[in-house]
Amino acid sequence: MEWMAWTWPTAIFFIVIASLLIAFTVLAIRFPETPRVGILRIETTRGDRLFITLLGSAFINLAWLGLISGPQWGALIVCLVFAAAVFRWV
Amino acid sequence: MEKTVNHKAWLLVLPVLVLVAFSAVIPLMTVVNYSVQDSFGNNVFFWVGLEWFHEILTSERIHNALGRQLMFSAIILAIEIPLGVFIALNMPKRGIWASVCLVLMALPLLIPWNVVGTIWQVFGRVDIGLLGHTLAAMGIDYNYTQDAFDAWVTVIVMDVWHWTSLVALLAYAGLQSIPEAYYQAAKIDQASRWAVFRYIELPKMQGVLLIAILLRFMDSFMIYTEPFVVTGGGPGNATTFLSIDLVKMALGQFDLGPAAAFSIIYFLVILLISWVFYTVMTNLDKREGA
């Protein structure tokens, strides 16, 4: 595994993503749901909303890094607000 | 009929998962690990945090490459999609000539990228190439190795030559699926040629055209081999697109950290665009099916 050049922060990052995926898979099996149509006018399931949240969060972090030179945890707060909005309205 | 629910079937997907993990997920994880570190070789790494991402996002060199890349994709889409549709509309619908046309159209698609690049590299040369030599004989000052505009024209014409067939074949397949009754109804209504195209053919081609736009956009956005073989990214940086710049950074300069950060941003952009296209397409299908 040495060749992969692991660091603790990246390991934690991947553990969080993997845990989210597992949690949402278990949720989908235990509590099946019907897709709903939100403000984007597309059908989404919980998994879709998680994908939109993660992809959106990546761009929020990049935008924060490129445009605003504040501390990066600021972007994380924006991401959490974004995630709540996606799960509520999309 | 009642659907059988058996989650054990998921075990059958396991080999694919292992394969994808080995060929895509683990390398991608390694790229993420590289993107936050610096290395001088020998597998020794130093933590730098998000520095490389900041450098890439504020780098004028990357902004310029991205600008060129978007311009290239926009130009080839603006040419290939209407041209492909136009060719499909004019192809014979049945008979021997339909088969001849299909085979001829499919030919450029069968040629590997590096061969296409080599063909055009020679074809455009002023000293020995048919195109370059002919243009020079006509008194046109054309030299793709020295003039940025000529290099762009060559790369774009090459892409149009290579890939318009794909759009044409997809559009042709869309046209073939329109029942004859639609055209008969249009004839009874004395619809003009334009009206037939606008209200029958274009809506029926919508699905395949979206696929064509998606495929051509993704492919042109990731283009590497053809411009690399023809112009090598030059003259200067005139045809250095994103992937050419990425390879220069990763292999030419051995800047693994910045190149990894660059790859991740590149990947995210492609992921976003693919998702948008996929969502639009599946929703279109659902609306048509409803």
Side-chain angles (χ1 to χ4, degrees):
Chain A
M1 292 291 269
E2 206 182 305
W3 63 273
M4 284 182 78
W6 279 104
T7 63
W8 272 110
T10 48
I12 293 169
F13 170 77
F14 282 117
I15 289 169
V16 170
I17 303 264
S19 315
L20 276 173
L21 290 179
I22 292 167
F24 274 76
T25 309
V26 172
L27 264 180
I29 294 171
R30 290 288 298 278
F31 309 102
E33 53 160 351
T34 43
R36 67 157 197 232
V37 178
I39 50 165
L40 285 183
R41 319 268 307 134
I42 53 169
E43 273 190 3
T44 56
T45 60
R46 276 189 294 251
D48 294 326
R49 292 193 281 279
L50 177 68
F51 178 79
I52 296 169
T53 305
L54 290 178
L55 192 59
S57 300
F59 280 99
I60 290 171
N61 271 288
L62 287 178
W64 187 277
L65 198 60
L67 304 173
I68 306 161
S69 46
Q72 203 60 26
W73 53 260
L76 274 182
I77 295 173
V78 179
C79 288
L80 286 176
V81 175
F82 174 69
V86 167
F87 275 89
R88 175 69 187 81
W89 288 298
V90 171
Chain B
M1 203 176 78
E2 204 174 306
K3 221 171 157 184
T4 319
V5 180
N6 185 353
H7 288 301
K8 277 184 195 145
W10 285 103
L11 286 177
L12 297 174
V13 192
L14 212 59
V16 176
L17 278 182
V18 173
L19 206 70
V20 170
F22 196 74
S23 67
V25 179
I26 293 174
L28 191 64
M29 282 175 157
T30 313
V31 170
V32 173
N33 291 344
Y34 281 7
S35 71
V36 289
Q37 300 178 82
D38 196 7
S39 173
F40 302 107
N42 284 335
N43 229 13
V44 180
F45 290 90
F46 306 93
W47 172 262
V48 294
L50 295 171
E51 203 179 300
W52 298 136
F53 285 94
H54 189 257
E55 193 181 299
I56 295 293
L57 287 169
T58 51
S59 150
E60 203 174 320
R61 169 184 162 182
I62 307 295
H63 291 172
N64 291 341
L66 178 66
R68 283 191 289 270
Q69 185 72 70
L70 288 172
M71 195 155 93
F72 176 74
S73 292
I75 292 174
I76 64 116
L77 279 181
I79 298 174
E80 287 175 19
I81 301 296
L83 187 61
V85 172
F86 178 76
I87 292 172
L89 286 172
N90 288 292
M91 271 165 73
K93 287 219 160 57
R94 56 187 68 81
I96 182 137
W97 288 109
S99 313
V100 171
C101 276
L102 284 175
V103 172
L104 281 179
M105 295 298 292
L107 274 182
L109 301 175
L110 301 175
I111 305 174
W113 288 261
N114 53 346
V115 179
V116 171
T118 313
I119 290 173
W120 280 82
Q121 208 256 359
V122 176
F123 189 48
R125 276 177 64 167
V126 182
D127 51 352
I128 54 166
L130 181 63
L131 175 72
H133 199 72
T134 311
L135 287 176
M138 286 163 71
I140 296 168
D141 186 22
Y142 166 85
N143 190 336
Y144 71 81
T145 58
Q146 281 166 14
D147 188 282
F149 180 76
D150 293 349
W152 265 84
V153 170
T154 312
V155 172
I156 286 168
V157 173
M158 173 177 62
D159 199 84
V160 169
W161 175 83
H162 195 186
W163 290 111
T164 303
S165 303
L166 179 76
V167 182
L169 291 179
L170 282 170
Y172 185 71
L175 283 175
Q176 290 291 68
S177 69
I178 303 174
E180 197 55 42
Y182 282 73
Y183 292 107
Q184 287 166 357
K187 211 174 254 176
I188 291 168
D189 287 345
Q190 291 188 328
S192 64
R193 181 71 193 87
W194 168 251
V196 170
F197 174 71
R198 172 69 188 82
Y199 296 104
I200 297 175
E201 291 170 333
L202 199 56
K204 284 282 171 192
M205 278 195 290
Q206 203 178 17
V208 283
L209 279 184
L210 261 173
I211 295 173
I213 292 172
L214 172 66
L215 287 176
R216 283 316 303 135
F217 180 80
M218 300 312 301
D219 217 38
S220 64
F221 203 71
M222 299 188 291
I223 193 163
Y224 174 75
T225 318
E226 293 147 300
F228 180 74
V229 173
V230 176
T231 63
N237 274 334
T239 52
T240 301
F241 301 122
L242 282 177
S243 56
I244 296 181
D245 217 11
L246 179 59
V247 173
K248 266 187 194 168
M249 198 183 276
L251 301 179
Q253 302 160 221
F254 204 69
D255 280 337
L256 291 185
F262 186 1
S263 312
I264 291 170
I265 297 171
Y266 200 176
F267 170 69
L268 285 172
V269 171
I270 289 178
L271 192 61
L272 175 72
I273 296 164
S274 309
W275 178 77
V276 170
F277 271 112
Y278 174 78
T279 311
V280 169
M281 252 156 30
T282 43
N283 277 281
L284 211 69
D285 281 351
K286 269 180 207 151
R287 224 173 295 157
E288 266 177 23

